[in-house]
Amino acid sequence: MRYRALGSTGISVSVIGFGASPLGNVFSSVPRADDDALVGRAVDAGINFFDVSPYYGAGLAEERLGEALVPYRKDVVLATKCGRNGANRFDFSAKGITASLEASLRRLKIDAVDLIQAHDIEFGDIDQVIYETIPALLALKQQGKARYIGITGYWPGLLARVIAEAPVDTVLNYCHLNLFSDEMDAVLTPAAERMGIGLINASPLHMGILGGAQLPDWHPAPPAVRVAGADVVSFCRSSGADPAILSMWACLQYRSVASTLVGFASTEQVDSACAALDFVPDTQMLKTVRRLVAPVFNTSWPQGRPENEDAGRVAPALEEDEIKVAKA
Ligand code: NAD
């Protein structure tokens, strides 16, 4: 494993982080009996950064992760979130944030968390996030209930704007720095680096698209992106390559990112992510993958309040025959 400084926090995190949303059964059902082996394999591989949220399975992922981390509590950096309580339920008020962290600490069975993050701020009123949510997080930090505070979300430009105005320690962006996109690097990274804010990248597989399994109903990616992802998966497999290793490798090339979070549902997936550390891709294969992704590179989909969207980046319309392929 390799480790990097998480901004100015003084914490050192593994470049591959454990995303715990699968423990909330958000992609598919993950057997609870496997939790100890899964978390144990990650810790053995040197992974020390774990990310969860009350939103993942309505508290289930926190409960399961908290339980499985009991033997390793002193050795790991644990991050959770607040503000997002359901697919369409958000509460970024000071009262809601404080109650949410209290409930998370109970589920995680700890007195304090290393990092508390306002979850998916693009769904909130940004003035409220800056002037109410962040001050509430700072108060929790002062009370010793969280060591550091951060924000998470989908739009790199929005996150860049908010970190310029709010005193956070970390910023997490997802689906904007992997084989499908480099917008986080172009838009958010320079601002975060300048301010010494820890950068966390999430969803190296574009929320499972490059895992090749059937996607859950809630997955927001437009058909053209799914088609390109399916093409990459079948091309890699026919070449004897693992698309998950390639996509994690692509993320690890960005040295400004402290950690890339991948959602793990099995010990094999932990092994696959870690294989990316020593991976050297075949140049021709990489070229073909980049060509397959090129038509949808940097495509985003609507997410959050329209007024919070980064301008001009919604998915292009599909031709009729492409829609048929995407649905198949
Ligand atoms: P991801 O791109 O990491 O994909 C996860 C999916 O891919 C899961 O279904 C997983 O089982 C599967 N997978 C993982 N490794 C695989 C492999 N080797 N082969 C085949 N399939 C594999 O997407 P994600 O889970 O959304 O993102 C990772 C983590 O980042 C989350 O668990 C969460 O902790 C964090 N995250 C945070 C936010 C936010 O705060 N707004 C948003 C997205 C993700």
Side-chain angles (χ1 to χ4, degrees):
M1 187 51 63
R2 293 194 286 271
Y3 299 87
R4 290 194 187 129
L6 184 59
S8 312
T9 61
I11 296 179
S12 179
V13 289
S14 47
V15 292
I16 298 173
F18 189 115
S21 64
L23 298 186
N25 296 328
V26 303
F27 289 97
S28 60
S29 183
V30 177
R32 197 167 182 153
D34 296 349
D35 290 358
D36 290 348
L38 178 56
V39 168
R41 182 72 135 248
V43 173
D44 287 347
I47 291 174
N48 75 344
F49 187 39
F50 291 76
D51 177 80
V52 68
S53 166
Y55 171 49
Y56 305 149
L60 179 65
E62 285 188 325
E63 236 178 79
R64 291 173 64 169
L65 183 65
E67 192 66 39
L69 277 179
V70 167
Y72 314 110
R73 262 181 207 155
K74 290 197 170 58
D75 311 317
V76 299
V77 177
L78 179 54
T80 193
K81 311 194 186 84
C82 56
R84 180 160 205 174
N85 301 316
N88 297 304
R89 285 194 301 121
F90 297 86
D91 184 354
F92 290 104
S93 70
K95 201 171 153 205
I97 292 301
T98 306
S100 179
L101 179 58
E102 295 291 353
S104 289
L105 294 178
R106 280 195 297 277
R107 281 189 293 268
L108 290 162
K109 299 198 187 78
I110 50 178
D111 298 326
V113 74
D114 295 299
L115 175 64
I116 179 77
Q117 307 157 100
H119 193 169
D120 288 344
I121 61 163
E122 65 273 10
F123 286 90
D125 169 337
I126 293 306
D127 280 345
Q128 185 186 33
V129 169
I130 294 173
Y131 299 111
E132 184 174 348
T133 313
I134 306 285
L137 294 178
L138 282 169
L140 291 165
K141 187 174 168 178
Q142 270 165 3
Q143 290 162 26
K145 293 191 172 153
R147 288 171 71 196
Y148 299 103
I149 68 168
I151 53 171
T152 83
Y154 181 70
W155 298 109
L158 178 71
L159 294 168
R161 201 186 107 202
V162 174
I163 62 171
E165 295 184 50
V168 293
D169 302 300
T170 66
V171 58
L172 181 160
N173 190 199
Y174 73 97
C175 286
H176 281 94
L177 195 60
N178 55 31
L179 286 171
F180 284 92
S181 177
D182 64 1
E183 278 193 35
M184 174 179 166
D185 195 55
V187 179
L188 176 60
T189 298
E193 274 196 311
R194 215 172 33 245
M195 285 176 273
I197 291 172
L199 264 173
I200 303 164
N201 180 21
S203 309
L205 305 180
H206 228 41
M207 294 199 295
I209 287 181
L210 293 176
Q214 193 178 349
L215 294 176
D217 291 345
W218 56 260
H219 204 296
V225 173
R226 293 166 186 241
V227 170
D231 287 348
V232 170
V233 171
S234 49
F235 167 70
C236 285
R237 287 183 179 160
S238 68
S239 318
D242 179 348
I245 297 179
L246 184 67
S247 49
M248 181 50 95
W249 171 84
C251 293
L252 293 177
Q253 303 316 301
Y254 295 95
R255 307 285 161 110
S256 306
V257 171
S259 190
T260 297
L261 298 168
V262 54
F264 290 131
S266 69
T267 53
E268 290 77 16
Q269 293 181 359
V270 175
D271 295 345
S272 162
C274 293
L277 291 164
D278 302 320
F279 182 66
V280 181
D282 175 78
T283 319
Q284 200 50 47
M285 191 182 84
L286 192 59
K287 230 173 166 176
T288 306
V289 167
R290 300 254 189 239
R291 187 175 51 73
L292 291 171
V293 169
V296 295
F297 195 68
N298 281 341
T299 292
S300 295
W301 46 81
Q303 195 74 4
R305 297 186 181 195
E307 68 268 25
N308 290 337
E309 281 187 10
D310 286 1
R313 302 196 214 285
V314 275
L318 273 191
E319 299 298 330
E320 194 55 34
D321 55 340
E322 288 178 300
I323 293 172
K324 276 191 207 124
V325 175
K327 283 184 173 163

